[in-house]
Amino acid sequence: MENQRVDMFLMSHSRYFESYQLMEIRNLLMQAEDEKMTQIHLQSYKDPTTMLIVSLIAGTLGVDRFLIGQTGLGILKLVTIGGLGIWTVIDWFLIMGITKRRNFKRLIDGLRY
């Protein structure tokens, strides 16, 4: 893939990934075929800041975990009322990193298939 397209992708999507992942993403995109770029652009990545806001507002109900695709943990968080509030507070600090790692996994899976 050409440098300009890869750099544009990284500039517009860097907030969705951890900073240490960006070089690896760049290398993977440079090695990928051109038709994969369209598929990667069509994927929806979750915004970590939005997920933090959701976690602050409705984290006790597990909505944040449901939105990032962790259905089992979402149900567990809902049933335990956010781990009696303890899990909810812990997630306020962790949810942005979890979201960025899930976005990275989604990107890698998109490049594989």
Side-chain angles (χ1 to χ4, degrees):
M1 196 167 307
E2 58 188 73
N3 283 334
Q4 186 177 9
R5 290 181 72 190
V6 171
D7 290 339
M8 287 296 286
F9 176 82
L10 288 175
M11 284 176 26
S12 62
H13 291 83
S14 64
R15 70 180 182 274
Y16 299 124
F17 305 104
E18 298 281 1
S19 59
Y20 67 87
Q21 297 170 332
L22 294 178
M23 284 306 294
E24 183 178 353
I25 292 170
R26 186 176 197 292
N27 292 336
L28 290 170
L29 290 176
M30 291 298 290
Q31 296 170 3
E33 298 94 27
D34 286 336
E35 58 269 1
K36 290 285 186 180
M37 194 62 169
T38 304
Q39 182 180 1
I40 289 168
H41 273 292
L42 293 177
Q43 289 183 357
S44 62
Y45 300 103
K46 304 291 183 191
D47 187 2
T49 306
T50 304
M51 293 308 300
L52 176 62
I53 294 168
V54 168
S55 185
L56 290 170
I57 295 171
T60 305
L61 302 175
V63 175
D64 51 353
R65 294 295 183 149
F66 285 115
L67 287 176
I68 59 174
Q70 296 178 333
T71 309
L73 290 177
I75 291 171
L76 185 62
K77 198 171 175 182
L78 176 65
V79 170
T80 62
I81 309 168
L84 299 175
I86 297 168
W87 189 359
T88 302
V89 173
I90 292 170
D91 265 355
W92 293 344
F93 297 97
L94 300 178
I95 198 70
M96 290 180 74
I98 293 168
T99 304
K100 289 179 180 183
R101 286 190 294 278
R102 296 290 286 198
N103 286 337
F104 182 71
K105 184 181 181 308
R106 180 172 288 153
L107 176 81
I108 297 300
D109 289 346
L111 285 172
R112 272 193 220 150
Y113 304 110

